Amino acid sequence: MQSVVLILISLIQLIVLAFCSNIMAVEVDRPNIVLVMADDLGWSDIGCYGGEIRTPHIDSLAQDGLRFTQFYNNSVCGPTRASLLTGLYCQQTGHRGDHWNQPKDYTKCVLVSEFLQHAGYHTMMTGKWQGRDSALDRGFDRFFGPMCQGKISYFHEVQQNPFYLDRQRFALPRDFYLTKAINDYALRFLKEAVVKEAPFFLYVAHIAPHWPLHADEADIAAYRQQYLEQGWDEWRLRRFELQRKNQIAPLQWELSPRPASVWDWKTDPNQVWQAERMAAYAAQVQGIDQGIGQLLKVLKETGQEENTLFLFLSDNGAAPDGGVGPSKNGFGFAPNQPNNRWRKDNVSIRPGSSPQNPPGPHDTFAAYGLAWANLSNTPLRGTKLTGYEGGIRTPLIAKWPKVIGDGLQTTQVGHVIDIMATCLNIADVKYPTEFQSRKPLPLEGKSLLPVFQGENRQGHKTLCWSVPNDQAIRMGKWKAIRPRKGGEWQLFDLEADGTETVNLAKSEPDRVKELVQHFKAWQKRVGDKQ
């Protein structure tokens, strides 16, 4: 009898051990997630999308992973982040769809960080937090960055944007530079995470290359000559040629026309100053790339690379003038624009930029203008705030060696609302009907995992936008768009004409009517208001 009892005990111990081993195996197998977002980065700025800016580490993500050519954002910083973190249309989060609207605290929603933290992930964030509460109250274990509610500086703290390290106010050192600080704390948090047993989620929300054009002189100098020798027209043609060669832009597409208000580069009377602006912008982009290189190095050295999903994207298209006033002849921030009321620690900042006041130093506040923004979005039409492809189409690159093959590209359509669904799917977390006394709205996004696995997923029947300048809907290859304040709908076939140069509305009235009906139904469902 005693021997039988011993045998039973041994069997129970083996079962318990096997059960625990399975739990540990599941824990180990759950992938890590690193999500890096740029701010106001144009669709073609990075090298693997045709750009001449030196971004070797971002390019390596595409070389070792998957590049999307038809992925979408919400055309503005805050609305895109609302959708990214909640898996919902921004209008459902209480965010109307433009960047002047409040609230931005997402209190009626559950964030992806909260779900992952609850599921055992170690969660971290650095960079642009636009909530009214602390990021640590919304599912993040660690946080570094500004409570970003107003204008910014890359060298100083601005009154509206105090910096925090977790819950403590953070005093900026004398040699502070925003992008480097975001990179450094992302690296610090990652080094802490890789030695923990739990899987981790790291969200790096860059503010670069968002205006103002702040960068170190040495970094600007590295780009100065190339933009002086070849201006926006030549570089745009070069980007388009490379995009066609690499099948990022189909051969049947035409290059969208240069905006009428932008001069021919050869006739611009201020080429030295114009080149300086683009050089400063390129330096800001390169800073993002350097931070990504640091993260990739740690993942590789610690053996975490194979089972880490690494995502990179931008929150909207290139921004010509910072949203303060209209650009003229590619300038942006005309001297008489009323942006000189901004103060930093009660010290006036020189407004705008001019040939006598080049960008880069800490006491300047400038954007790079419509001409360079048009280059950044090559070959697409439109910029930030618009519903044209240049405003809403984003580069997205996914690297996950365990699942995704090398050097792949997909034309499958996706949207930032899909990021939440993807993260929960790969972490084996179900989206609940109730979470900590909150009842989140049904998830709008769809997981990208089938695309990562080389399959054709059942995507969105329609995607809709109500952004500051326009309203738009995409259904299959068809897209309808009109000014937000009202006007005639335009219709484009995005397969044949992704640069939106040929309006087919008059020849396809029934199709326009169908799309408009779907758009109105979407407005009613998500609570979109004019």
Side-chain angles (χ1 to χ4, degrees):
M1 183 67 180
Q2 186 176 4
S3 60
V4 173
V5 171
L6 291 174
I7 292 172
L8 288 173
I9 292 174
S10 298
L11 287 173
I12 292 171
Q13 289 175 334
L14 288 171
I15 292 170
V16 170
L17 181 61
F19 180 73
C20 292
S21 298
N22 286 334
I23 291 176
M24 292 176 64
V26 170
E27 186 72 25
V28 170
D29 288 338
R30 286 199 296 173
N32 309 305
I33 303 167
V34 177
L35 172 60
V36 181
M37 172 172 277
D39 196 325
D40 288 4
L41 179 79
W43 193 68
S44 69
D45 279 324
I46 53 181
C48 56
Y49 280 79
E52 69 290 333
I53 299 174
R54 293 180 280 281
T55 55
H57 303 297
I58 298 175
D59 298 344
S60 75
L61 296 175
Q63 293 165 6
D64 300 333
L66 175 66
R67 175 174 51 193
F68 286 74
T69 62
Q70 298 194 76
F71 203 83
Y72 288 100
N73 55 52
N74 287 335
S75 192
V76 192
C77 312
T80 289
R81 284 165 172 74
S83 290
L84 179 87
L85 292 171
T86 65
L88 303 171
Y89 279 104
C90 58
Q91 290 81 4
Q92 296 170 297
T93 72
H95 210 309
R96 193 175 66 211
D98 60 49
H99 65 336
W100 303 286
N101 181 56
Q102 301 293 341
K104 299 176 182 175
D105 56 357
Y106 321 132
T107 53
K108 297 180 180 179
C109 312
V110 180
L111 308 193
V112 62
S113 49
E114 296 178 273
F115 286 135
L116 293 176
Q117 183 187 60
H118 185 72
Y121 271 70
H122 179 63
T123 55
M124 307 154 285
M125 178 184 173
T126 65
K128 189 173 187 176
W129 174 251
Q130 292 181 291
R132 296 197 178 280
D133 46 4
S134 170
L136 271 64
D137 295 325
R138 302 312 302 269
F140 288 102
D141 297 310
R142 300 300 312 272
F143 171 73
F144 170 79
M147 300 289 284
C148 204
Q149 298 292 336
K151 294 182 176 69
I152 59 171
S153 167
Y154 284 76
F155 295 108
H156 304 284
E157 181 177 287
V158 179
Q159 290 175 351
Q160 306 103 313
N161 301 323
F163 278 77
Y164 283 84
L165 176 57
D166 296 329
R167 296 189 187 276
Q168 301 297 316
R169 282 292 300 271
F170 180 82
L172 274 56
R174 293 178 62 88
D175 61 347
F176 179 81
Y177 182 70
L178 179 58
T179 303
K180 184 178 185 301
I182 291 173
N183 287 337
D184 288 349
Y185 276 91
L187 184 64
R188 177 184 297 189
F189 291 168
L190 181 62
K191 288 180 176 179
E192 294 173 359
V194 294
V195 298
K196 296 179 181 291
E197 293 184 0
F200 56 82
F201 172 69
L202 172 61
Y203 174 37
V204 184
H206 276 287
I207 295 175
H210 192 293
W211 50 270
L213 296 171
H214 283 171
D216 291 331
E217 163 59 24
D219 295 330
I220 296 174
Y223 287 95
R224 184 174 288 135
Q225 197 62 31
Q226 73 180 52
Y227 291 117
L228 185 58
E229 292 176 354
Q230 303 290 341
W232 46 68
D233 292 321
E234 180 62 29
W235 280 116
R236 196 161 184 253
L237 289 173
R238 289 190 181 190
R239 288 191 184 189
F240 189 43
E241 181 181 355
L242 188 59
Q243 289 169 338
R244 282 181 155 181
K245 178 180 178 181
N246 293 333
Q247 299 181 325
I248 300 169
L251 293 177
Q252 65 268 27
W253 287 11
E254 298 291 335
L255 183 63
S256 63
R258 185 178 61 207
S261 62
V262 174
W263 286 332
D264 184 313
W265 171 260
K266 295 178 182 178
T267 64
D268 192 286
N270 298 297
Q271 290 183 351
V272 173
W273 169 62
Q274 295 283 23
E276 193 78 2
R277 297 207 292 173
M278 186 60 194
Y281 177 88
Q284 290 179 309
V285 174
Q286 187 169 300
I288 297 173
D289 185 77
Q290 290 168 348
I292 288 176
Q294 294 171 345
L295 299 179
L296 291 174
K297 182 179 180 182
V298 169
L299 291 173
K300 185 173 184 179
E301 290 176 347
T302 59
Q304 299 281 1
E305 180 183 40
E306 186 73 13
N307 197 33
T308 297
L309 171 62
F310 201 116
L311 297 170
F312 173 82
L313 73 163
S314 178
D315 61 355
N316 48 249
D321 60 10
V324 174
S327 297
K328 182 178 181 181
N329 296 323
F331 278 50
F333 286 116
N336 59 354
Q337 285 298 324
N339 60 323
N340 58 352
R341 293 193 296 270
W342 179 50
R343 290 174 175 269
K344 180 270 300 174
D345 294 336
N346 298 318
V347 177
S348 295
I349 301 299
R350 290 185 287 166
S353 178
S354 70
Q356 293 75 40
N357 179 28
H362 68 91
D363 61 346
T364 61
F365 186 80
Y368 67 161
L370 180 58
W372 291 120
N374 190 48
L375 166 67
S376 288
N377 286 337
T378 304
L380 306 174
R381 175 182 179 179
T383 57
K384 178 181 180 179
L385 310 183
T386 77
Y388 291 103
E389 296 294 289
I392 61 176
R393 192 176 290 211
T394 181
L396 173 69
I397 309 171
K399 176 185 175 182
W400 186 7
K402 187 175 181 180
V403 175
I404 301 173
D406 295 345
L408 302 177
Q409 182 168 291
T410 180
T411 59
Q412 293 192 59
V413 178
H415 191 283
V416 289
I417 57 177
D418 296 334
I419 299 298
M420 159 83 89
T422 304
C423 292
L424 297 188
N425 187 187
I426 68 174
D428 196 25
V429 176
K430 292 184 179 180
Y431 188 85
T433 56
E434 185 172 346
F435 182 82
Q436 297 177 348
S437 301
R438 283 176 283 171
K439 295 183 178 180
L441 293 170
L443 192 62
E444 293 281 345
K446 296 175 178 287
S447 175
L448 297 169
L449 181 57
V451 186
F452 296 164
Q453 295 171 330
E455 302 171 2
N456 288 319
R457 72 163 185 166
Q458 185 176 357
H460 301 275
K461 181 178 180 181
T462 62
L463 288 171
C464 297
W465 294 266
S466 185
V467 301
N469 290 5
D470 302 300
Q471 296 173 328
I473 177 172
R474 174 166 181 168
M475 186 174 180
K477 68 176 185 175
W478 296 100
K479 177 181 174 183
I481 181 172
R482 74 166 182 177
R484 181 167 180 156
K485 294 182 179 180
E488 296 294 323
W489 286 90
Q490 296 177 301
L491 179 70
F492 299 102
D493 176 350
L494 294 182
E495 284 186 6
D497 178 31
T499 55
E500 299 168 295
T501 59
V502 182
N503 179 12
L504 302 174
K506 290 185 177 179
S507 61
E508 295 272 1
D510 291 339
R511 195 175 301 280
V512 173
K513 184 178 179 180
E514 179 188 11
L515 287 170
V516 171
Q517 288 176 341
H518 280 288
F519 181 80
K520 289 181 177 179
W522 171 83
Q523 280 188 299
K524 183 177 181 180
R525 182 169 61 80
V526 303
D528 179 57
K529 298 178 181 179
Q530 292 287 79

